[in-house]
Amino acid sequence: MIYILHTSCVDYYLVEHKDITWLGFLVADVIIFILFIASSVVSYRHLVGPKNDFTSGKGVSWFGIGSWFLYSAIVATKSGIIFNDFTDDLDENDFFGPNTLKTSLALAGVVYLLHLSSLHDAKPGSERRAYIEELTGTVIFDIMDCVDSMEPMFIKEDRDAFPPGLVEAIVAIACLNFVIPTIPLLTLTYTKFGHAKLPRRLVMLHKILLAYIINLPLLIMRMILWHGLNHGVSIFSLKNVIVISMISYDFYEHHEANVETSKVGNKENKEEPEDGELKGDTYNMENRFNYD
């Protein structure tokens, strides 16, 4: 139902403000809807079936990833067309104005959570569930953030005052954030949704993605609008700062812990006697009367 509401509203904007030929997206929407349903059914059969069928499980996961990637690519394409072509023509007083459009696009985050929940059977409070939530817990807020970041595109006067390339940069950053949640799905597939441990290198890559590929560009764009063009910014800029700061501090703590561990290891190696050699204290006690 959420998917149908989301796609119907977005398609309406395209048909109303472009022309009837844009109903062609309806074909893609139907195909993706069928893929989502099929992915849920296949995933359910796998989850209630034998737990040792790893080949089937991998196929189910890739089916789920493909469904989301295709859906997110279509949403990004629709958003790019809408925000590049006619968002500044929308009337705030109309029901199908800027607010309904933003709400409809933000529903993509809800679609993501519903799709994700159909791909695993991790119990609430379990380690697997905590792991899944750690990787995907911010996705819905990131999607809401990218929709909010396109707020200046609704104001024609402000948009006309933007320097060349800024409109395209804002739209590109926002649209990219619809597709990026595919990466956590890939990570979860690699680890069988928490059944296997994620290598530390991939943990770091995921945090880098979250902080510096998702939140940093949005923060920079908002600072340009705020300080460079005197445009108001939303509270989501604080969210960008918090996420970047927390992950950067986490990297710092990991670095300090590694340095401390390295120092302790070196100290223990120095104190460890070589083969055939007694420790200093033991040698002195046993040989204090040996004058040979």
Side-chain angles (χ1 to χ4, degrees):
M1 183 63 71
I2 298 295
Y3 174 84
I4 294 174
L5 177 63
H6 159 74
T7 55
S8 299
C9 288
V10 177
D11 288 345
Y12 172 81
Y13 280 95
L14 287 169
V15 174
E16 177 68 18
H17 295 275
K18 300 287 282 184
D19 56 65
I20 196 68
T21 59
W22 291 92
L23 267 179
F25 271 118
L26 188 61
V27 176
D29 295 335
V30 172
I31 293 174
I32 294 170
F33 182 70
I34 294 172
L35 289 175
F36 276 143
I37 296 297
S39 174
S40 299
V41 172
V42 173
S43 178
Y44 175 76
R45 289 181 176 177
H46 168 72
L47 293 174
V48 300
K51 300 299 181 183
N52 58 351
D53 191 354
F54 294 110
T55 302
S56 174
K58 190 173 182 180
V60 170
S61 298
W62 283 108
F63 194 12
I65 292 171
S67 302
W68 169 260
F69 177 75
L70 183 58
Y71 165 73
S72 62
I74 294 297
V75 173
T77 302
K78 292 178 182 179
S79 300
I81 294 170
I82 291 172
F83 281 92
N84 272 317
D85 290 357
F86 59 80
T87 49
D88 53 348
D89 295 329
L90 297 178
D91 189 350
E92 195 77 45
N93 297 319
D94 291 341
F95 177 79
F96 285 100
N99 292 326
T100 301
L101 175 61
K102 290 185 290 184
T103 303
S104 300
L105 291 174
L107 286 176
V110 181
V111 174
Y112 181 87
L113 293 182
L114 293 174
H115 180 56
L116 174 65
S117 66
S118 71
L119 300 177
H120 68 86
D121 59 351
K123 304 299 182 184
S126 64
E127 291 186 6
R128 284 183 59 216
R129 188 62 169 266
Y131 166 74
I132 293 170
E133 290 176 351
E134 181 182 4
L135 288 180
T136 62
T138 64
V139 167
I140 188 169
F141 300 105
D142 293 333
I143 290 177
M144 292 170 62
D145 190 5
C146 78
V147 173
D148 180 81
S149 70
M150 293 191 279
E151 177 70 28
M153 309 294 288
F154 292 101
I155 307 172
K156 186 173 181 60
E157 293 77 11
D158 292 345
R159 182 168 173 164
D160 292 339
F162 288 169
L166 183 58
V167 170
E168 291 75 13
I170 293 174
V171 174
I173 291 172
C175 291
L176 183 62
N177 275 275
F178 284 112
V179 183
I180 284 179
T182 307
I183 297 177
L185 283 179
L186 284 168
T187 305
L188 288 172
T189 298
Y190 180 82
T191 59
K192 301 180 179 66
F193 286 86
H195 285 294
K197 290 186 177 180
L198 185 67
R200 186 176 179 182
R201 180 181 61 181
L202 290 182
V203 173
M204 293 301 175
L205 286 175
H206 173 73
K207 291 182 177 180
I208 290 172
L209 172 71
L210 182 61
Y212 307 117
I213 306 300
I214 296 177
N215 283 277
L216 184 59
L218 291 171
L219 178 63
I220 292 174
M221 180 268 294
R222 287 187 168 111
M223 292 303 101
I224 292 174
L225 291 174
W226 183 11
H227 295 287
L229 301 171
N230 295 318
H231 192 283
V233 294
S234 76
I235 196 65
F236 275 102
S237 58
L238 182 59
K239 171 254 184 185
N240 302 142
V241 172
I242 291 173
V243 171
I244 294 170
S245 300
M246 289 178 63
I247 292 179
S248 298
Y249 184 71
D250 188 44
F251 284 150
Y252 170 77
E253 284 188 322
H254 277 12
H255 173 73
E256 290 297 308
N258 289 338
V259 171
E260 188 66 26
T261 302
S262 178
K263 288 181 179 179
V264 172
N266 291 337
K267 185 177 180 180
E268 290 177 350
N269 290 335
K270 289 180 180 179
E271 292 177 354
E272 188 70 25
E274 297 181 359
D275 293 343
E277 180 181 337
L278 296 173
K279 289 185 179 180
D281 292 340
T282 304
Y283 178 82
N284 291 337
M285 290 297 293
E286 292 182 358
N287 295 280
R288 56 182 174 171
F289 298 116
N290 185 3
Y291 298 102
D292 293 335

